[in-house]
Amino acid sequence: ELKVEQNPLFLSMQEGKNYTIYCNYSTTSDRLYWYRQDPGKSLESLFVLLSNGAVKQEGRLMASLDTKARLSTLHITAAVHDLSATYFCAVDQISNFGNEKLTFGTGTRLTIIP
Amino acid sequence: GAGVSQSPRYKVAKRGQDVALRCDPISGHVSLFWYQQALGQGPEFLTYFQNEAQLDKSGLPSDRFFAERPEGSVSTLKIQRTQQEDSAVYLCASSLAYRTKLYEQYFGPGTRLTVT
């Protein structure tokens, strides 16, 4: 059974600081997603990582994927308050029935402190 | 353009009641997914439809949960005899194609179900 673990679960950062969220998963997969979720809202897709060594950047967020280590990271540079949210990684796998399905991590609740 | 919509956004049910949650996927999307997100947790897969065919229902937690998509567009998730442990946000997602490299799921706003 695929397991996806994120750490830390909670993160308080000061504005302007850098930090990294880690996502480890237990079985082989070649697709990994990062989502953002604001309180009471749905999931917003941030990044789709499709291959080993993939790196994508959008603003102050950068995501990378190492399929050999089964590890993805979400790096935050010079954090600003607007980045406060819960961040999920999700690993894509093919089910026994032939469809894709996502297995999510438990999420990292990020709070940016002025 | 229109995204995935869900209704109702909030539902309070007394224990033992039946509920029906609706999902309108993005027009033309072949694949439709239901997920359950308990408070403070990540979403968990419930079931998958390819058009009107329910191909994967491995994540449904009990036989009280039933989903349908009779015409290959709108889907309904029904929960019979609701229990307190059913309280969660139910997310619907759709994607354009089946098993392609460009696959990505687009999520609706969710229905928050509270069973009292």
Side-chain angles (χ1 to χ4, degrees), chain A residues 30-31 33 35 37 40 42-43 45 48 88 92 95 97-102 104-106, chain B residues 33 35 37 41-43 45 48 55-56 58 91 98-101 103-105 107-109:
Chain A
D30 59 2
R31 288 184 197 166
Y33 299 77
Y35 291 91
Q37 188 174 43
S42 190
L43 296 165
S45 178
V48 180
F88 292 97
D92 192 9
S95 78
F97 306 93
N99 55 282
E100 290 100 343
K101 67 179 188 181
L102 296 177
F104 285 81
T106 49
Chain B
F33 305 79
Y35 291 84
Q37 186 175 20
Q41 302 294 317
F45 173 84
Y48 166 77
L55 298 187
D56 185 352
S58 62
L91 295 168
Y98 174 63
R99 296 187 67 177
T100 74
K101 268 293 188 181
Y103 162 97
E104 184 173 353
Q105 295 183 28
F107 284 83

Side-chain angles (χ1 to χ4, degrees), chain B residues 30 49-55 68-73:
Chain B
V30 168
F49 288 87
Q50 180 190 356
N51 295 309
E52 69 278 2
Q54 188 177 19
L55 298 187
E68 60 184 6
R69 193 187 185 196
E71 297 179 358
S73 56

Side-chain angles (χ1 to χ4, degrees), chain B residues 44-88:
Chain B
E44 292 191 357
F45 173 84
L46 293 177
T47 189
Y48 166 77
F49 288 87
Q50 180 190 356
N51 295 309
E52 69 278 2
Q54 188 177 19
L55 298 187
D56 185 352
K57 48 185 179 181
S58 62
L60 296 176
S62 78
D63 58 7
R64 297 186 294 103
F65 286 70
F66 172 76
E68 60 184 6
R69 193 187 185 196
E71 297 179 358
S73 56
V74 171
S75 177
T76 304
L77 176 67
K78 298 179 179 178
I79 308 173
Q80 296 176 326
R81 305 181 302 282
T82 52
Q83 304 294 316
Q84 282 195 317
E85 61 263 29
D86 299 336
S87 295

